[in-house]
Amino acid sequence: MQNVELPAELCIHGSLLKENTKQQTAQTSSASSLLQTGIRQYESEQFAAAITSWTQALQNHQTTSDTLSQALLLSNLSLAHQHLGQWPQATETIAQSLSLLETPSNSAAYSETLAKALNTQGRLYWGQGNMEAALLSWREATTAYRQADHKRGVLLSLINQAKALQTLGLHVQSKTILNEEISQILQNGALDPVLTATGFWHLGNAQRQFGELTASQENLQQSLAIAKTANRPQIQSSVLLDLGNTERALSDSASAIGKKDEALVHQTAALAAYEEVASTGAASLNQVQANLNRLSFLIDLEEWTAAQTLWPDLLSTIPQLPPSRTAIYAQLNFAKSLATLMQVSEAQPKNRQASQTGSPSWQEIDAILVTAIQQAQALDDTIAESYGIGQRGELYEMLQQWPQAQALTQKALWLTNETQFLDGRYRWEWQQGRLLRKQGKQDEAVKAYDAAVKTLEQVRKNLLFIDAEVQFSFRDNVEPVYREFVELLLSHGDQASFSDQTLNLAIQQIDSLQLSELENFLRCDLASTTTISQFETDTDAAILYPIILPDRIAVILQLQGKKIFADFEIPQETAETKLEQLRRDLSNAPNRTPEVRKAAKEIYKWVFPETIEAALQDSDINTLVFVLDGALRNIPMAVLNDGEQYLVQKYAIAIAPELELFTPRPLTKELRVFTGGVGTPQEIENRQFPAIEKLDAELDKISELFGPQPPLTNENFQQEALQQQLSTVSFSGIHIKTHGVFSSDPEETFIVAHQKLIRGQELGDLIQSASVQGETPIELLVLSACSTATGDNRAILGLAGIAVQAGARSTVSTLWEAQDIPNTALMIRFYEELKQPGTSRAKALQNAQLALIDQGYRAPHLWATYVLVGNWR
């Protein structure tokens, strides 16, 4: 349920039609009346009723020569059909609208009509997943709006363009539109205050969807200030509600990377925003939505007493909302929050006792869902009906009433087939899989999960941009589908009976999960730049897939011509706690070496059960390639030890998501390496970055070995100079020595330039300019002296994300910041090893790490931090 068609666009359609019909006959006056009725119905989200009114209005207009009014009615009809998932009708009506506009005219009315039809066409393409066509339509719409001097239309169509560009992975173009074109229009003072406030509001919402949370916060605050000055309470309320949503997203982001104090600040701000909206004026949809968001956020924060106090008021308020799709979704979200409260109450009775109001009953929750379904049926809104019935099936799943749950889920699924509503279909296929599994119907469950992930592949890119009214979470709604399917496949039958087909299917789910995690991190569709591509195993390399399941670590070993499965029983929570402690011990200081060796020996047994260990010993393997899962990604596999040797003393090691970009290929010719970085101490954005003493020693030597240009350092290492050199000189390698952090929060992924932080996306774009200039992609990207964010379980995504954005086939960096002297020694040795004919990237890194150990740097803290991500050849 993407919020692409921006608010009030239809009202503009209506006002223009109203103007066009002022001078017309009684027949067209009737059509105008029907038009206005349809507009009111559409604004109330009664889409089927709007279609009826507009169809009658169109019939009245067809005997006149007023083609503009006919074209706008057809465009409106297409929008309403789109909301109901009626794609053939939506396609036909917008085609008819544009056909009526084939003869150009210089009038402003014609340009505005054409612009609105093109905007509607863009929304149609978006809904069908055709991003390139959507972008083209919205570009044409912007041109037509400019010809009509329709400033609001220009703003909204530009924001739509930015969304399409972001989805396509064209970040530079998207940011140019957002931060230059749109911001310039809003800042130049030529717009009236209401339009300026509205523009900043929409811009802030778009930025939140892109993950640009700080910019979203700033623009929403600016919109709020303008709306207050202009005394527009309705705009204030709407902006404040979205500001609360942005503060909530900032809180979630800070929590994910371990910034508890910062998270608390944003939590407080979000709750305050919701409370302010809820406490102003009479009961309204914004008030209800604010309280709903507040309730679900309190539940996320496990503030059970506050949540228990809030829900009774909502129980009496929500039924008063007039029927509409938004009102239906409000009821569904409310029911979901209540069901969570009920589950917690039953599992932990003390939470029930903490509130004088008690907890909702299952019957009350079911009654809310029944009402929502009835309203959807009355509105002939099949999509909303599917959501309601499917969620009711989920409620009966919680109650373990399998027949009722399955019947409801099947009905919800049938409704998605009727409307081609793929966003809902995968949810109900997934739910069907869960139900079948819980009833012991394993083979049928496998088929249902397989159908769910195939549907999810089709809609995943659309799920990047979501409507805040339907609270969607990647971790809640995408990741579990893949993980549960893997768990089902690897618990279905006896281990010895697992076929290559089953193991391949499990591997595919892990690969798809990693791709979707990267897409979620980068906020774009990667299908156009990189796809999953099963690696062909070298004779001297093995690929290992350690997978964290709820009750064990499952391991699939891929050797040339065969796959082997084994597992190690350990609860997921225990495993993740031990992995987190090992990461802390590794990154803190060398004096934790005894604790590191003990934990690394234990984890070695998880990843290398006896069956896997024996298979490797029987094979002539010298390189291990890991496709790591979950918390395992934060541990350097090199540090694992069998009680006698560290893994790096036995094998060369790489981490490689199975993406086409990282397919193993040897270096075709000698590297040409750009070198640069910053060694002087700096303070940027209230952060302190100490000196890097060995900057020149490291960069000068690497430049001597591989560099066509001298290093770009210190005050010369600025974004503009970096851009100029990378775009004008052909490089196949890039080596940057500076402070930096890689995080699962894109805004917290950066490297340090002179007096500036270069964010992850900007860095990726800069490196891409070298790929464009050169004859081949960047073969090797080395980020020396950087680290991943402490406490961030998904920080390695930042490193992989940079590689994907940059188009770099291999990336070498550190999981925690390396000490300067040994780091320089290792980096120089790494490049010296690459000079040797036939030496792979993984082997070069292994030899450099072993050399460091031989030089007396024996503490794993010093040598284990280095990881190679991508092509290991």
Side-chain angles (χ1 to χ4, degrees):
M1 283 171 285
Q2 290 70 37
N3 190 20
V4 179
E5 179 215 356
L6 291 155
E9 180 67 354
L10 193 73
C11 298
I12 303 174
H13 282 238
S15 63
L16 178 61
L17 277 163
K18 195 172 182 180
E19 291 169 13
N20 288 344
T21 58
K22 280 181 181 177
Q23 307 300 322
Q24 293 178 0
T25 64
Q27 183 181 13
T28 51
S29 294
S30 172
S32 181
S33 175
L34 286 166
L35 162 71
Q36 298 305 321
T37 299
I39 289 172
R40 288 191 294 273
Q41 290 164 333
Y42 182 96
E43 289 172 339
S44 299
E45 297 179 312
Q46 299 175 12
F47 303 116
I51 288 171
T52 300
S53 296
W54 287 334
T55 300
Q56 293 175 9
L58 183 63
Q59 289 169 351
N60 288 349
H61 264 300
Q62 282 173 344
T63 58
T64 74
S65 59
D66 186 0
T67 55
L68 292 187
S69 292
Q70 292 177 45
L72 279 168
L73 277 164
L74 287 162
S75 177
N76 286 356
L77 280 166
S78 180
L79 277 174
H81 284 303
Q82 289 174 45
H83 278 291
L84 294 174
Q86 298 169 354
W87 303 111
Q89 298 94 319
T91 302
E92 181 182 355
T93 47
I94 195 58
Q96 290 173 355
S97 175
L98 290 168
S99 176
L100 289 171
L101 299 169
E102 285 179 347
T103 303
S105 167
N106 293 327
S107 73
Y110 168 83
S111 295
E112 186 177 340
T113 306
L114 177 62
K116 288 165 182 168
L118 289 166
N119 200 49
T120 298
Q121 184 186 52
R123 189 192 189 283
L124 173 66
Y125 285 137
W126 174 284
Q128 294 173 325
N130 190 344
M131 302 300 152
E132 293 86 353
L135 176 60
L136 180 60
S137 291
W138 283 328
R139 280 176 172 161
E140 293 176 352
T142 302
T143 300
Y145 275 128
R146 283 185 168 134
Q147 290 170 348
D149 195 27
H150 194 298
K151 295 180 178 63
R152 187 174 183 281
V154 171
L155 275 175
L156 301 188
S157 59
L158 281 171
I159 290 175
N160 278 345
Q161 279 191 54
K163 289 186 176 187
L165 287 165
Q166 189 78 7
T167 309
L168 290 167
L170 302 173
H171 308 288
V172 176
Q173 296 95 316
S174 178
K175 292 192 82 168
T176 298
I177 289 176
L178 286 171
N179 300 334
E180 294 180 19
E181 291 191 63
I182 296 173
S183 293
Q184 186 175 357
I185 291 171
L186 293 171
Q187 298 285 4
N188 67 13
L191 305 178
D192 67 79
V194 173
L195 184 51
T196 303
T198 303
F200 277 117
W201 172 29
H202 292 320
L203 178 58
N205 278 342
Q207 288 166 325
R208 182 178 64 252
Q209 292 172 325
F210 298 163
E212 296 176 12
L213 300 179
T214 302
S216 170
Q217 179 193 48
E218 291 170 355
N219 283 313
L220 290 171
Q221 287 172 339
Q222 192 160 356
S223 173
L224 185 62
I226 295 168
K228 284 181 177 178
T229 301
N231 193 25
R232 296 287 177 156
Q234 183 57 41
I235 296 178
Q236 288 180 54
S237 174
S238 298
V239 174
L240 194 57
L241 176 59
D242 280 312
L243 183 58
N245 294 336
T246 293
E247 293 286 359
R248 180 174 180 176
L250 282 163
S251 168
D252 292 342
S253 178
S255 295
I257 58 177
K259 294 186 175 181
K260 294 181 180 179
D261 291 341
E262 186 178 318
L264 182 59
V265 170
H266 293 301
Q267 287 169 16
T268 303
L271 290 170
Y274 293 148
E275 288 169 15
E276 185 175 345
V277 176
S279 64
T280 55
S284 68
L285 190 56
N286 275 351
Q287 269 193 311
V288 172
Q289 192 62 59
N291 273 327
L292 281 171
N293 290 359
R294 185 175 158 210
L295 176 62
S296 67
F297 195 26
L298 289 169
I299 290 171
D300 286 349
L301 298 173
E302 299 184 357
E303 298 284 348
W304 307 119
T305 301
Q308 290 277 21
T309 303
L310 182 59
W311 73 262
D313 288 339
L314 278 166
L315 188 64
S316 60
T317 303
I318 284 182
Q320 299 174 24
L321 295 174
S324 68
R325 176 177 284 185
T326 300
I328 293 166
Y329 289 164
Q331 292 172 81
L332 299 184
N333 283 337
F334 184 41
K336 192 170 188 66
S337 292
L338 291 182
T340 304
L341 274 178
M342 194 66 187
Q343 283 183 304
V344 170
S345 240
E346 291 187 345
Q348 303 175 25
K350 63 180 181 180
N351 290 321
R352 183 194 294 263
Q353 296 163 7
S355 171
Q356 297 178 351
T357 58
S359 296
S361 68
W362 292 113
Q363 290 80 5
E364 286 175 311
I365 300 169
D366 194 34
I368 293 167
L369 293 173
V370 169
T371 300
I373 293 165
Q374 289 171 344
Q375 289 181 3
Q377 290 168 340
L379 295 174
D380 199 18
D381 191 335
T382 307
I383 290 175
E385 183 185 0
S386 175
Y387 263 113
I389 292 172
Q391 191 169 322
R392 195 168 178 230
E394 185 180 8
L395 179 69
Y396 280 94
E397 178 187 3
M398 292 178 185
L399 295 171
Q400 299 184 20
Q401 296 181 19
W402 311 125
Q404 298 95 320
Q406 197 160 341
L408 287 163
T409 303
Q410 187 60 45
K411 185 174 181 181
L413 186 56
W414 178 82
L415 287 171
T416 67
N417 294 334
E418 186 176 271
T419 59
Q420 292 298 297
F421 176 42
L422 299 182
D423 292 16
R425 182 186 298 174
Y426 95 87
R427 297 177 190 230
W428 313 139
E429 287 169 336
W430 171 28
Q431 188 162 293
Q432 192 174 53
R434 296 196 307 268
L435 289 166
L436 289 165
R437 185 181 180 190
K438 287 168 182 174
Q439 296 175 79
K441 300 175 181 179
Q442 299 292 88
D443 291 334
E444 293 175 64
V446 167
K447 290 177 182 177
Y449 269 100
D450 191 42
V453 297
K454 285 175 179 173
T455 304
L456 186 53
E457 296 297 319
Q458 298 178 61
V459 299
R460 194 171 60 212
K461 60 190 171 204
N462 284 350
L463 299 177
L464 295 172
F465 300 102
I466 54 100
D467 191 332
E469 291 175 358
V470 183
Q471 293 151 13
F472 178 88
S473 162
F474 172 82
R475 296 191 188 191
D476 292 341
N477 296 75
V478 175
E479 182 176 357
V481 185
Y482 294 112
R483 290 202 177 279
E484 289 172 15
F485 192 16
V486 171
E487 183 189 0
L488 174 64
L489 289 166
L490 299 183
S491 61
H492 183 33
D494 180 45
Q495 287 186 18
S497 67
F498 286 140
S499 65
D500 274 4
Q501 182 181 5
T502 297
L503 296 178
N504 279 332
L505 194 53
I507 287 171
Q508 287 172 21
Q509 307 323 308
I510 291 299
D511 293 339
S512 294
L513 172 58
Q514 296 213 350
L515 180 60
S516 65
E517 283 180 308
L518 275 172
E519 287 182 328
N520 188 63
F521 171 77
L522 298 172
R523 308 297 290 178
C524 71
D525 172 25
L526 293 178
S528 59
T529 56
T530 185
T531 58
I532 296 170
S533 178
Q534 294 286 309
F535 295 151
E536 292 296 327
T537 313
D538 299 333
T539 55
D540 62 348
I543 303 176
L544 273 159
Y545 302 82
I547 304 163
I548 300 176
L549 299 178
D551 59 348
R552 61 212 162 99
I553 307 289
V555 184
I556 301 173
L557 171 65
Q558 180 179 331
L559 298 167
Q560 195 170 47
K562 62 179 178 179
K563 290 182 176 65
I564 297 163
F565 174 83
D567 59 10
F568 185 94
E569 291 188 10
I570 182 170
Q572 180 176 348
E573 186 175 347
T574 303
E576 289 176 345
T577 299
K578 289 181 181 292
L579 289 166
E580 184 180 344
Q581 183 61 53
L582 174 57
R583 169 59 193 265
R584 284 199 298 268
D585 289 340
L586 275 166
S587 58
N588 283 345
N591 61 11
R592 301 290 293 175
T593 296
E595 290 84 357
V596 166
R597 287 186 62 88
K598 180 180 178 182
K601 183 178 177 182
E602 182 179 359
I603 294 167
Y604 183 95
K605 295 177 182 177
W606 307 352
V607 180
F608 297 94
E610 291 181 6
T611 307
I612 302 293
E613 179 85 352
L616 285 170
Q617 289 175 358
D618 291 341
S619 306
D620 189 17
I621 297 298
N622 58 42
T623 300
L624 292 182
V625 182
F626 289 89
V627 181
L628 293 175
D629 177 44
L632 284 165
R633 287 180 293 205
N634 291 332
I635 303 299
M637 293 293 103
V639 80
L640 302 187
N641 71 79
D642 60 7
E644 297 180 3
Q645 290 180 298
Y646 290 111
L647 197 62
V648 73
Q649 294 173 304
K650 300 162 67 174
Y651 301 103
I653 298 164
I655 302 167
E658 287 207 60
L659 300 180
E660 187 177 49
L661 177 67
F662 300 142
T663 299
R665 301 183 184 93
L667 291 170
T668 55
K669 54 186 177 181
E670 187 168 283
L671 288 170
R672 290 168 55 85
V673 181
F674 165 86
T675 52
V678 176
T680 54
Q682 298 191 81
E683 181 179 351
I684 308 172
E685 297 183 10
N686 298 318
R687 305 172 196 245
Q688 298 290 335
F689 300 101
I692 300 176
E693 301 293 342
K694 292 292 183 178
L695 178 79
D696 292 336
E698 181 174 322
L699 297 186
D700 288 346
K701 181 61 177 178
I702 295 167
S703 183
E704 177 188 323
L705 288 168
F706 287 105
Q709 299 279 357
L712 195 69
T713 60
N714 295 326
E715 66 272 8
N716 295 320
F717 191 76
Q718 299 187 43
Q719 190 164 346
E720 297 76 14
L722 188 57
Q723 171 77 50
Q724 196 275 335
Q725 193 165 132
L726 289 175
S727 61
T728 56
V729 181
S730 178
F731 295 104
S732 55
I734 293 175
H735 183 98
I736 295 174
K737 186 178 180 73
T738 184
H739 295 288
V741 175
F742 301 100
S743 164
S744 62
D745 177 0
E747 293 191 359
E748 288 297 314
T749 293
F750 62 84
I751 64 166
V752 176
H754 179 67
Q755 296 302 315
K756 186 180 185 299
L757 302 183
I758 300 178
R759 306 287 177 186
Q761 187 171 294
E762 296 171 320
L763 178 61
D765 295 334
L766 282 171
I767 296 169
Q768 265 193 354
S769 64
S771 298
V772 171
Q773 170 65 23
E775 297 176 4
T776 61
I778 295 299
E779 292 286 351
L780 179 65
L781 169 64
V782 179
L783 298 163
S784 178
C786 296
S787 62
T788 53
T790 304
D792 185 350
N793 288 332
R794 297 179 181 231
I796 200 71
L797 279 177
L799 190 54
I802 291 292
V804 171
Q805 280 182 316
R809 287 179 171 165
S810 301
T811 300
V812 173
S813 188
T814 48
L815 293 177
W816 55 90
E817 193 158 335
Q819 290 187 11
D820 197 12
I821 293 174
N823 179 64
T824 296
L826 180 136
M827 288 298 174
I828 291 172
R829 181 59 179 267
F830 172 67
Y831 282 97
E832 288 174 341
E833 290 290 331
L834 282 179
K835 272 283 187 184
Q836 306 306 312
T839 302
S840 71
R841 283 162 266 208
K843 189 66 177 176
L845 181 58
Q846 180 195 22
N847 289 344
Q849 288 176 292
L850 293 177
L852 211 58
I853 295 171
D854 291 342
Q855 291 167 23
Y857 297 104
R858 297 184 180 279
H861 169 80
L862 300 173
W863 57 261
T865 180
Y866 302 92
V867 291
L868 167 64
V869 177
N871 179 4
W872 63 90
R873 292 284 297 275

